[in-house]
Amino acid sequence: MADTYQHEPPYTVGVIVGSTAASSINRRLAKALIKLAPEDLQCSFIEIDQLGLYDRDLDASYPPEALAFKEAISSSDAILFVTPEYNRSIPGALKNAIDWASRPYGQNALSRKPVGMAGTSPGGIGTAVAQQHLKAIMSFCNAPLMNDVEVYVQYQEGMVDDNDDVTIDSTKEFLTDFMQRYDDFVRRVLTVVPQNR
Ligand code: FNR
């Protein structure tokens, strides 16, 4: 197929944690996922805590930190969100970051960017509602979404240790499988979808 774009691994993955808390359990989960990732995936964090509040009056002259944030997304092959649930949605800090990434109109850094997501909460539904909201937002942002494994993790104290290792065997197996499937998903999107049209 002449217009099929094939991007061989490794793939660079920008990992965006929805929590800005130093003690974040979602950052712990993100670090564990990075450690479990197959070799094809080169993961690094893209931080959101330096961003001011999005203001469309700044569309013509984005502040440097917002430009750097957008560039980090643009230069990643794929994005992995690891987010808490706040009041049955995503945290405002994460929505703010996504708003920066999506603008100015026509320059949406998330468009066509393969996106996976995961999250953890002490609560029983493990960020399921927040992730449904995030999926709706990513859909509007034209980001191809991984759907075949949903990672709603009920956090238990000590579930991820200080070496970023998952201490519960069944959870480790589940998360390892997720990262393998995420790798497959990224490969599928980057192989099949023509990138320049
Ligand atoms: C929460 N928390 C929470 N948990 C949940 O499962 N569903 C929810 O809707 C909410 N809402 C909520 C709102 C706000 C403002 C806070 C601060 C917390 C609890 C939340 O899951 C818990 O604080 C996690 O530790 C947050 O994740 P990080 O920041 O530790 O990654």
Side-chain angles (χ1 to χ4, degrees):
M1 284 188 284
D3 63 354
T4 298
Y5 177 93
Q6 191 146 4
H7 181 343
E8 297 296 333
Y11 303 117
T12 54
V13 177
V15 179
I16 300 179
V17 176
S19 174
T20 55
S23 60
S24 168
I25 57 176
N26 282 278
R27 186 169 294 271
R28 269 188 182 265
L29 175 62
K31 287 179 176 173
L33 288 170
I34 290 171
K35 200 161 179 180
L36 293 173
E39 274 182 14
D40 281 0
L41 301 180
Q42 295 180 346
C43 302
S44 54
F45 286 107
I46 301 177
E47 302 298 344
I48 62 171
D49 60 350
Q50 76 286 9
L51 297 165
L53 285 180
Y54 172 76
D55 181 339
R56 67 179 178 77
D57 288 345
L58 299 175
D59 276 4
S61 56
Y62 256 39
E65 61 276 14
L67 285 174
F69 176 68
K70 281 192 72 172
E71 176 52 31
I73 292 175
S74 298
S75 62
S76 299
D77 292 319
I79 297 295
L80 178 64
F81 289 101
V82 186
T83 186
E85 180 170 288
Y86 277 9
N87 297 314
R88 293 281 181 262
S89 188
I90 60 170
L94 178 57
K95 180 60 164 59
N96 182 58
I98 292 168
D99 290 345
W100 279 115
S102 68
R103 289 279 155 168
Y105 182 77
Q107 296 173 45
N108 171 12
L110 289 158
S111 183
R112 297 187 175 182
K113 200 63 74 178
V115 161
M117 60 186 70
T120 188
S121 157
I125 56 173
T127 75
V129 184
Q131 289 191 49
Q132 296 314 304
H133 286 194
L134 184 55
K135 283 185 178 178
I137 295 163
M138 284 303 110
S139 176
F140 183 74
C141 288
N142 195 33
L145 279 171
M146 177 177 174
N147 292 307
D148 68 350
V149 183
E150 297 175 301
V151 182
Y152 309 139
V153 179
Q154 184 171 24
Y155 195 82
Q156 298 172 40
E157 198 56 45
M159 191 185 83
V160 179
D161 68 19
D162 290 343
N163 294 320
D164 308 328
D165 289 316
V166 180
T167 58
I168 301 169
D169 286 347
S170 57
T171 304
K172 183 174 182 179
E173 197 178 318
F174 173 70
L175 296 176
T176 304
D177 178 62
F178 166 65
M179 289 308 282
Q180 182 58 60
R181 286 169 187 255
Y182 176 68
D183 180 14
D184 294 344
F185 160 76
V186 170
R187 182 187 306 248
R188 210 175 296 125
V189 172
L190 294 179
T191 300
V192 173
V193 179
Q195 299 292 295
N196 301 319
R197 290 192 288 124

